Amino acid sequence: MLELIVKSVQDILNLTDKKLAEGITADTPLVGAGRVVDSIGLVTLIVDVENRVAEHTNRPISLMDDRAMSQTRSPFRTVGTLAEYVQELIHADLKERS
Amino acid sequence: MNSPPNQQRVMLVTGSRKGIGAYLSQYYADRGWHVAGCSRSPAEWGHPDYNHYQLDVGDETAVVAMFADIRKRYGRLDAAINNAGIATMNHVMLTPGATAERIFRTNTLGTFLIAREAAKLMVPRQTGRIVNFSTVAHPLNLEGEATYAASKAAVESLTRIMAREFSPWNITVNAIGPTPIDTDLIRGVPADKMARLIERLPNKRLGTFEEVSHVTNFFLAPESNCITGQILYLGGV
């Protein structure tokens, strides 16, 4: 999942010609200080990840559900926390279906 | 169901079983688009370039599932026409809460859900057109149409704000406000009430399907890339 998110962030940065001094890792921030995408970039990222996961798993996924909104710590903090969150959602969906 | 070649433009029309939605679906299918349509009941017509989904636009799970299928089947969406709508003519003091809720669910929440999911499908290609449906009943403040007009006033607000929010991806969002057209939506309105309504219009007659497609053509045109957040009323309102 981390790979998928990294690729998505990279594609969005390529659209804006933004160059990072360091590569994109699990610790790359998506919100707050040092974030690599602006607010529009974050929306694009979330939509892109939803689209990629849907293609990958053949199941629609919504990252902005009540669970994401109610968490005290945003799952969108870093590339790594987003990857973990997406993985959790996929597991929850699988569990619900089984 | 047919799957169009990837180069073919894909449009979604809600409320496509009959009336304006059926007309627009056939109109654009005849003009090279592949049209996906939806309504709560099966379609009453067919076309080689038309696929029908059966769902309630106010049902979020069903709407998301439809868009997942559109994504899988076509891989793109170029335009969405939010035509599905229901109305009731009644005095506010005689309107049950359940009726008001049903009208807002289809007209307002339905428009919101369809536009949200359509935009998500349009983001990867960085372009798209969304056309919503308002009504002249809102600016004319028609008595007896409080819930219907209010649900469409909310659609106008959604249209203007979504136009701003979606503009970074070159997705335009506009709305058409047709005058009454001879469809099921107005068939239950007593003749004298309809006559009084028509009398309040600068253009004192019912509208036509062709006048609606004239406006949707304008909003959908490639040259309309900077036409967004606009509400275009028919009938001189």
Side-chain angles (χ1 to χ4, degrees), chain A residues 2-3 5 7 10-11 13 17 21 28-29 31 35 38 43 56 58-59 61 64 66 70-71 80 83 85 87 89 97:
Chain A
L2 184 62
E3 250 176 62
I5 310 285
K7 177 79 173 67
Q10 189 60 64
D11 286 352
L13 292 180
D17 289 331
T28 302
V31 294
R35 67 183 185 178
D38 60 10
V43 176
H56 196 64
N58 240 351
R59 294 275 301 171
I61 182 174
M64 289 306 291
D66 289 342
S70 63
Q71 290 195 12
Y85 182 62
Q87 201 63 63
L89 289 179
R97 280 192 291 153

PDB file of all heavy atoms in Angstrom, chain A residues 2-3 5 7 10-11 13 17 21 28-29 31 35 38 43 56 58-59 61 64 66 70-71 80 83 85 87 89 97:
ATOM      1  N   LEU A   2       1.983   1.199   0.767  1.00  0.00           N
ATOM      2  CA  LEU A   2       2.884   2.358   0.830  1.00  0.00           C
ATOM      3  C   LEU A   2       3.356   2.741  -0.579  1.00  0.00           C
ATOM      4  O   LEU A   2       3.378   3.927  -0.935  1.00  0.00           O
ATOM      5  CB  LEU A   2       4.083   2.038   1.743  1.00  0.00           C
ATOM      6  CG  LEU A   2       5.054   3.197   1.989  1.00  0.00           C
ATOM      7  CD1 LEU A   2       4.348   4.345   2.695  1.00  0.00           C
ATOM      8  CD2 LEU A   2       6.241   2.722   2.816  1.00  0.00           C
ATOM      9  N   GLU A   3       3.663   1.730  -1.359  1.00  0.00           N
ATOM     10  CA  GLU A   3       4.137   1.966  -2.731  1.00  0.00           C
ATOM     11  C   GLU A   3       3.098   2.721  -3.547  1.00  0.00           C
ATOM     12  O   GLU A   3       3.426   3.637  -4.296  1.00  0.00           O
ATOM     13  CB  GLU A   3       4.383   0.618  -3.419  1.00  0.00           C
ATOM     14  CG  GLU A   3       5.851   0.297  -3.662  1.00  0.00           C
ATOM     15  CD  GLU A   3       5.999  -1.095  -4.267  1.00  0.00           C
ATOM     16  OE1 GLU A   3       5.480  -1.315  -5.370  1.00  0.00           O
ATOM     17  OE2 GLU A   3       6.598  -1.935  -3.588  1.00  0.00           O
ATOM     18  N   ILE A   5       0.710   4.687  -2.466  1.00  0.00           N
ATOM     19  CA  ILE A   5       0.577   6.086  -2.012  1.00  0.00           C
ATOM     20  C   ILE A   5       1.776   6.907  -2.509  1.00  0.00           C
ATOM     21  O   ILE A   5       1.612   8.039  -2.978  1.00  0.00           O
ATOM     22  CB  ILE A   5       0.498   6.163  -0.465  1.00  0.00           C
ATOM     23  CG1 ILE A   5      -0.548   5.189   0.100  1.00  0.00           C
ATOM     24  CG2 ILE A   5       0.243   7.602  -0.005  1.00  0.00           C
ATOM     25  CD1 ILE A   5      -1.971   5.554  -0.050  1.00  0.00           C
ATOM     26  N   LYS A   7       3.579   6.416  -5.127  1.00  0.00           N
ATOM     27  CA  LYS A   7       3.436   6.638  -6.576  1.00  0.00           C
ATOM     28  C   LYS A   7       2.416   7.744  -6.842  1.00  0.00           C
ATOM     29  O   LYS A   7       2.618   8.607  -7.704  1.00  0.00           O
ATOM     30  CB  LYS A   7       2.974   5.320  -7.224  1.00  0.00           C
ATOM     31  CG  LYS A   7       2.720   5.391  -8.716  1.00  0.00           C
ATOM     32  CD  LYS A   7       4.037   5.342  -9.475  1.00  0.00           C
ATOM     33  CE  LYS A   7       3.843   5.247 -10.988  1.00  0.00           C
ATOM     34  NZ  LYS A   7       3.271   6.413 -11.610  1.00  0.00           N
ATOM     35  N   GLN A  10       3.916  11.065  -5.959  1.00  0.00           N
ATOM     36  CA  GLN A  10       4.907  11.419  -6.987  1.00  0.00           C
ATOM     37  C   GLN A  10       4.220  11.953  -8.243  1.00  0.00           C
ATOM     38  O   GLN A  10       4.642  12.971  -8.804  1.00  0.00           O
ATOM     39  CB  GLN A  10       5.746  10.174  -7.331  1.00  0.00           C
ATOM     40  CG  GLN A  10       6.951  10.469  -8.225  1.00  0.00           C
ATOM     41  CD  GLN A  10       7.917  11.455  -7.577  1.00  0.00           C
ATOM     42  OE1 GLN A  10       8.502  11.158  -6.551  1.00  0.00           O
ATOM     43  NE2 GLN A  10       8.039  12.642  -8.154  1.00  0.00           N
ATOM     44  N   ASP A  11       3.145  11.285  -8.664  1.00  0.00           N
ATOM     45  CA  ASP A  11       2.422  11.723  -9.866  1.00  0.00           C
ATOM     46  C   ASP A  11       1.836  13.128  -9.678  1.00  0.00           C
ATOM     47  O   ASP A  11       1.829  13.938 -10.596  1.00  0.00           O
ATOM     48  CB  ASP A  11       1.297  10.734 -10.202  1.00  0.00           C
ATOM     49  CG  ASP A  11       1.852   9.440 -10.802  1.00  0.00           C
ATOM     50  OD1 ASP A  11       3.066   9.379 -11.082  1.00  0.00           O
ATOM     51  OD2 ASP A  11       1.069   8.487 -10.965  1.00  0.00           O
ATOM     52  N   LEU A  13       2.996  15.456  -7.617  1.00  0.00           N
ATOM     53  CA  LEU A  13       4.108  16.416  -7.606  1.00  0.00           C
ATOM     54  C   LEU A  13       4.613  16.656  -9.028  1.00  0.00           C
ATOM     55  O   LEU A  13       4.993  17.778  -9.378  1.00  0.00           O
ATOM     56  CB  LEU A  13       5.249  15.905  -6.713  1.00  0.00           C
ATOM     57  CG  LEU A  13       4.923  15.853  -5.216  1.00  0.00           C
ATOM     58  CD1 LEU A  13       6.113  15.328  -4.432  1.00  0.00           C
ATOM     59  CD2 LEU A  13       4.521  17.221  -4.685  1.00  0.00           C
ATOM     60  N   ASP A  17       5.357  20.106 -11.150  1.00  0.00           N
ATOM     61  CA  ASP A  17       6.804  20.301 -11.358  1.00  0.00           C
ATOM     62  C   ASP A  17       7.551  20.569 -10.065  1.00  0.00           C
ATOM     63  O   ASP A  17       8.606  21.208 -10.068  1.00  0.00           O
ATOM     64  CB  ASP A  17       7.064  21.457 -12.345  1.00  0.00           C
ATOM     65  CG  ASP A  17       6.662  21.067 -13.752  1.00  0.00           C
ATOM     66  OD1 ASP A  17       6.731  19.863 -14.067  1.00  0.00           O
ATOM     67  OD2 ASP A  17       6.261  21.964 -14.520  1.00  0.00           O
ATOM     68  N   ALA A  21      13.835  17.632  -2.299  1.00  0.00           N
ATOM     69  CA  ALA A  21      15.261  17.385  -2.063  1.00  0.00           C
ATOM     70  C   ALA A  21      15.477  15.910  -1.711  1.00  0.00           C
ATOM     71  O   ALA A  21      16.434  15.274  -2.160  1.00  0.00           O
ATOM     72  CB  ALA A  21      15.757  18.281  -0.934  1.00  0.00           C
ATOM     73  N   THR A  28       7.072  11.308   4.909  1.00  0.00           N
ATOM     74  CA  THR A  28       6.805  12.554   4.176  1.00  0.00           C
ATOM     75  C   THR A  28       5.472  13.139   4.641  1.00  0.00           C
ATOM     76  O   THR A  28       4.426  12.478   4.547  1.00  0.00           O
ATOM     77  CB  THR A  28       6.755  12.280   2.656  1.00  0.00           C
ATOM     78  OG1 THR A  28       7.996  11.717   2.260  1.00  0.00           O
ATOM     79  CG2 THR A  28       6.489  13.551   1.881  1.00  0.00           C
ATOM     80  N   PRO A  29       5.485  14.393   5.158  1.00  0.00           N
ATOM     81  CA  PRO A  29       4.219  14.972   5.660  1.00  0.00           C
ATOM     82  C   PRO A  29       3.282  15.412   4.533  1.00  0.00           C
ATOM     83  O   PRO A  29       3.737  15.928   3.514  1.00  0.00           O
ATOM     84  CB  PRO A  29       4.695  16.192   6.471  1.00  0.00           C
ATOM     85  CG  PRO A  29       6.096  16.443   6.083  1.00  0.00           C
ATOM     86  CD  PRO A  29       6.639  15.261   5.357  1.00  0.00           C
ATOM     87  N   VAL A  31       0.162  16.980   5.603  1.00  0.00           N
ATOM     88  CA  VAL A  31      -0.496  18.160   6.182  1.00  0.00           C
ATOM     89  C   VAL A  31       0.458  18.785   7.202  1.00  0.00           C
ATOM     90  O   VAL A  31       1.399  18.140   7.664  1.00  0.00           O
ATOM     91  CB  VAL A  31      -1.839  17.800   6.880  1.00  0.00           C
ATOM     92  CG1 VAL A  31      -2.871  17.307   5.884  1.00  0.00           C
ATOM     93  CG2 VAL A  31      -1.630  16.749   7.955  1.00  0.00           C
ATOM     94  N   ARG A  35       4.651  20.087   4.712  1.00  0.00           N
ATOM     95  CA  ARG A  35       3.812  19.283   3.808  1.00  0.00           C
ATOM     96  C   ARG A  35       4.270  19.463   2.352  1.00  0.00           C
ATOM     97  O   ARG A  35       4.710  20.551   1.965  1.00  0.00           O
ATOM     98  CB  ARG A  35       2.345  19.663   3.950  1.00  0.00           C
ATOM     99  CG  ARG A  35       2.048  21.076   3.473  1.00  0.00           C
ATOM    100  CD  ARG A  35       0.608  21.435   3.702  1.00  0.00           C
ATOM    101  NE  ARG A  35       0.318  22.753   3.131  1.00  0.00           N
ATOM    102  CZ  ARG A  35      -0.873  23.308   3.140  1.00  0.00           C
ATOM    103  NH1 ARG A  35      -1.886  22.684   3.694  1.00  0.00           N
ATOM    104  NH2 ARG A  35      -1.066  24.485   2.586  1.00  0.00           N
ATOM    105  N   ASP A  38      -0.237  21.078  -1.381  1.00  0.00           N
ATOM    106  CA  ASP A  38      -1.132  22.097  -0.825  1.00  0.00           C
ATOM    107  C   ASP A  38      -2.529  21.486  -0.654  1.00  0.00           C
ATOM    108  O   ASP A  38      -2.720  20.284  -0.877  1.00  0.00           O
ATOM    109  CB  ASP A  38      -1.151  23.357  -1.722  1.00  0.00           C
ATOM    110  CG  ASP A  38      -1.639  23.049  -3.130  1.00  0.00           C
ATOM    111  OD1 ASP A  38      -2.147  21.927  -3.369  1.00  0.00           O
ATOM    112  OD2 ASP A  38      -1.517  23.933  -4.000  1.00  0.00           O
ATOM    113  N   VAL A  43      -6.513  17.081  -1.818  1.00  0.00           N
ATOM    114  CA  VAL A  43      -7.793  16.575  -2.350  1.00  0.00           C
ATOM    115  C   VAL A  43      -7.523  15.672  -3.560  1.00  0.00           C
ATOM    116  O   VAL A  43      -8.082  14.575  -3.685  1.00  0.00           O
ATOM    117  CB  VAL A  43      -8.732  17.743  -2.757  1.00  0.00           C
ATOM    118  CG1 VAL A  43     -10.013  17.195  -3.411  1.00  0.00           C
ATOM    119  CG2 VAL A  43      -9.088  18.595  -1.552  1.00  0.00           C
ATOM    120  N   HIS A  56      -7.454  -1.449  -7.970  1.00  0.00           N
ATOM    121  CA  HIS A  56      -6.627  -2.528  -7.429  1.00  0.00           C
ATOM    122  C   HIS A  56      -7.485  -3.627  -6.788  1.00  0.00           C
ATOM    123  O   HIS A  56      -7.233  -4.817  -6.982  1.00  0.00           O
ATOM    124  CB  HIS A  56      -5.702  -1.906  -6.377  1.00  0.00           C
ATOM    125  CG  HIS A  56      -4.552  -2.758  -5.978  1.00  0.00           C
ATOM    126  ND1 HIS A  56      -3.560  -3.126  -6.855  1.00  0.00           N
ATOM    127  CD2 HIS A  56      -4.250  -3.336  -4.795  1.00  0.00           C
ATOM    128  CE1 HIS A  56      -2.686  -3.883  -6.222  1.00  0.00           C
ATOM    129  NE2 HIS A  56      -3.082  -4.024  -4.978  1.00  0.00           N
ATOM    130  N   ASN A  58     -11.004  -3.724  -6.897  1.00  0.00           N
ATOM    131  CA  ASN A  58     -12.320  -3.891  -7.502  1.00  0.00           C
ATOM    132  C   ASN A  58     -13.458  -3.533  -6.548  1.00  0.00           C
ATOM    133  O   ASN A  58     -14.582  -4.017  -6.694  1.00  0.00           O
ATOM    134  CB  ASN A  58     -12.513  -5.330  -7.986  1.00  0.00           C
ATOM    135  CG  ASN A  58     -12.776  -5.356  -9.472  1.00  0.00           C
ATOM    136  OD1 ASN A  58     -12.973  -4.310 -10.083  1.00  0.00           O
ATOM    137  ND2 ASN A  58     -12.791  -6.543 -10.041  1.00  0.00           N
ATOM    138  N   ARG A  59     -13.155  -2.737  -5.537  1.00  0.00           N
ATOM    139  CA  ARG A  59     -14.160  -2.311  -4.561  1.00  0.00           C
ATOM    140  C   ARG A  59     -14.052  -0.805  -4.370  1.00  0.00           C
ATOM    141  O   ARG A  59     -12.942  -0.282  -4.210  1.00  0.00           O
ATOM    142  CB  ARG A  59     -13.907  -2.971  -3.192  1.00  0.00           C
ATOM    143  CG  ARG A  59     -14.104  -4.457  -3.191  1.00  0.00           C
ATOM    144  CD  ARG A  59     -15.548  -4.841  -2.986  1.00  0.00           C
ATOM    145  NE  ARG A  59     -16.100  -4.342  -1.722  1.00  0.00           N
ATOM    146  CZ  ARG A  59     -17.385  -4.413  -1.428  1.00  0.00           C
ATOM    147  NH1 ARG A  59     -18.239  -4.918  -2.281  1.00  0.00           N
ATOM    148  NH2 ARG A  59     -17.824  -3.973  -0.266  1.00  0.00           N
ATOM    149  N   ILE A  61     -13.909   2.625  -2.470  1.00  0.00           N
ATOM    150  CA  ILE A  61     -13.448   2.941  -1.112  1.00  0.00           C
ATOM    151  C   ILE A  61     -13.584   4.447  -0.907  1.00  0.00           C
ATOM    152  O   ILE A  61     -13.333   5.231  -1.821  1.00  0.00           O
ATOM    153  CB  ILE A  61     -11.989   2.480  -0.914  1.00  0.00           C
ATOM    154  CG1 ILE A  61     -11.521   2.762   0.503  1.00  0.00           C
ATOM    155  CG2 ILE A  61     -11.050   3.119  -1.900  1.00  0.00           C
ATOM    156  CD1 ILE A  61     -10.143   2.210   0.802  1.00  0.00           C
ATOM    157  N   MET A  64     -12.807   9.585   3.052  1.00  0.00           N
ATOM    158  CA  MET A  64     -13.351  10.633   3.918  1.00  0.00           C
ATOM    159  C   MET A  64     -14.660  10.177   4.539  1.00  0.00           C
ATOM    160  O   MET A  64     -15.719  10.712   4.250  1.00  0.00           O
ATOM    161  CB  MET A  64     -13.566  11.916   3.110  1.00  0.00           C
ATOM    162  CG  MET A  64     -12.284  12.605   2.708  1.00  0.00           C
ATOM    163  SD  MET A  64     -11.189  12.932   4.109  1.00  0.00           S
ATOM    164  CE  MET A  64     -12.127  14.165   4.964  1.00  0.00           C
ATOM    165  N   ASP A  66     -16.900   8.976   8.212  1.00  0.00           N
ATOM    166  CA  ASP A  66     -17.030   9.507   9.572  1.00  0.00           C
ATOM    167  C   ASP A  66     -15.838   9.115  10.443  1.00  0.00           C
ATOM    168  O   ASP A  66     -15.429   9.855  11.326  1.00  0.00           O
ATOM    169  CB  ASP A  66     -18.320   8.988  10.219  1.00  0.00           C
ATOM    170  CG  ASP A  66     -19.539   9.630   9.587  1.00  0.00           C
ATOM    171  OD1 ASP A  66     -19.367  10.663   8.932  1.00  0.00           O
ATOM    172  OD2 ASP A  66     -20.646   9.085   9.734  1.00  0.00           O
ATOM    173  N   SER A  70     -13.533  11.661  12.545  1.00  0.00           N
ATOM    174  CA  SER A  70     -13.650  11.661  14.000  1.00  0.00           C
ATOM    175  C   SER A  70     -12.340  11.313  14.703  1.00  0.00           C
ATOM    176  O   SER A  70     -12.249  11.396  15.918  1.00  0.00           O
ATOM    177  CB  SER A  70     -14.739  10.662  14.427  1.00  0.00           C
ATOM    178  OG  SER A  70     -14.358   9.364  14.037  1.00  0.00           O
ATOM    179  N   GLN A  71     -11.338  10.934  13.954  1.00  0.00           N
ATOM    180  CA  GLN A  71     -10.074  10.555  14.597  1.00  0.00           C
ATOM    181  C   GLN A  71      -9.368  11.785  15.152  1.00  0.00           C
ATOM    182  O   GLN A  71      -9.312  12.827  14.499  1.00  0.00           O
ATOM    183  CB  GLN A  71      -9.163   9.842  13.591  1.00  0.00           C
ATOM    184  CG  GLN A  71      -9.696   8.465  13.217  1.00  0.00           C
ATOM    185  CD  GLN A  71      -8.657   7.618  12.516  1.00  0.00           C
ATOM    186  OE1 GLN A  71      -7.484   7.949  12.492  1.00  0.00           O
ATOM    187  NE2 GLN A  71      -9.100   6.515  11.948  1.00  0.00           N
ATOM    188  N   GLY A  80       2.939   7.541   5.292  1.00  0.00           N
ATOM    189  CA  GLY A  80       2.858   6.279   6.030  1.00  0.00           C
ATOM    190  C   GLY A  80       1.543   6.102   6.765  1.00  0.00           C
ATOM    191  O   GLY A  80       0.933   5.019   6.712  1.00  0.00           O
ATOM    192  N   ALA A  83      -1.138   5.334   4.271  1.00  0.00           N
ATOM    193  CA  ALA A  83      -1.042   3.942   3.792  1.00  0.00           C
ATOM    194  C   ALA A  83      -1.643   2.987   4.830  1.00  0.00           C
ATOM    195  O   ALA A  83      -2.396   2.073   4.479  1.00  0.00           O
ATOM    196  CB  ALA A  83       0.412   3.578   3.514  1.00  0.00           C
ATOM    197  N   TYR A  85      -3.892   3.700   7.085  1.00  0.00           N
ATOM    198  CA  TYR A  85      -5.333   3.928   7.147  1.00  0.00           C
ATOM    199  C   TYR A  85      -6.056   3.228   5.993  1.00  0.00           C
ATOM    200  O   TYR A  85      -7.094   2.580   6.194  1.00  0.00           O
ATOM    201  CB  TYR A  85      -5.616   5.435   7.126  1.00  0.00           C
ATOM    202  CG  TYR A  85      -7.077   5.763   7.247  1.00  0.00           C
ATOM    203  CD1 TYR A  85      -7.804   5.401   8.382  1.00  0.00           C
ATOM    204  CD2 TYR A  85      -7.752   6.417   6.225  1.00  0.00           C
ATOM    205  CE1 TYR A  85      -9.158   5.684   8.490  1.00  0.00           C
ATOM    206  CE2 TYR A  85      -9.099   6.707   6.328  1.00  0.00           C
ATOM    207  CZ  TYR A  85      -9.797   6.337   7.462  1.00  0.00           C
ATOM    208  OH  TYR A  85     -11.135   6.608   7.564  1.00  0.00           O
ATOM    209  N   GLN A  87      -5.033   0.655   4.367  1.00  0.00           N
ATOM    210  CA  GLN A  87      -4.954  -0.783   4.640  1.00  0.00           C
ATOM    211  C   GLN A  87      -6.034  -1.210   5.639  1.00  0.00           C
ATOM    212  O   GLN A  87      -6.698  -2.227   5.462  1.00  0.00           O
ATOM    213  CB  GLN A  87      -3.554  -1.115   5.187  1.00  0.00           C
ATOM    214  CG  GLN A  87      -3.164  -2.581   5.036  1.00  0.00           C
ATOM    215  CD  GLN A  87      -3.078  -3.019   3.577  1.00  0.00           C
ATOM    216  OE1 GLN A  87      -2.262  -2.514   2.831  1.00  0.00           O
ATOM    217  NE2 GLN A  87      -3.964  -3.940   3.177  1.00  0.00           N
ATOM    218  N   LEU A  89      -8.905   0.268   6.164  1.00  0.00           N
ATOM    219  CA  LEU A  89     -10.218   0.330   5.510  1.00  0.00           C
ATOM    220  C   LEU A  89     -10.456  -0.895   4.639  1.00  0.00           C
ATOM    221  O   LEU A  89     -11.560  -1.448   4.613  1.00  0.00           O
ATOM    222  CB  LEU A  89     -10.323   1.598   4.642  1.00  0.00           C
ATOM    223  CG  LEU A  89     -10.436   2.939   5.363  1.00  0.00           C
ATOM    224  CD1 LEU A  89     -10.513   4.082   4.350  1.00  0.00           C
ATOM    225  CD2 LEU A  89     -11.672   2.980   6.262  1.00  0.00           C
ATOM    226  N   ARG A  97     -17.502  -8.144   4.569  1.00  0.00           N
ATOM    227  CA  ARG A  97     -18.057  -8.978   3.489  1.00  0.00           C
ATOM    228  C   ARG A  97     -17.978 -10.460   3.809  1.00  0.00           C
ATOM    229  O   ARG A  97     -18.677 -11.255   3.202  1.00  0.00           O
ATOM    230  CB  ARG A  97     -17.305  -8.701   2.185  1.00  0.00           C
ATOM    231  CG  ARG A  97     -17.776  -7.431   1.507  1.00  0.00           C
ATOM    232  CD  ARG A  97     -17.233  -7.336   0.111  1.00  0.00           C
ATOM    233  NE  ARG A  97     -15.796  -7.117   0.088  1.00  0.00           N
ATOM    234  CZ  ARG A  97     -15.006  -7.485  -0.910  1.00  0.00           C
ATOM    235  NH1 ARG A  97     -15.505  -8.124  -1.939  1.00  0.00           N
ATOM    236  NH2 ARG A  97     -13.714  -7.220  -0.880  1.00  0.00           N
TER     237      ARG A  97
END
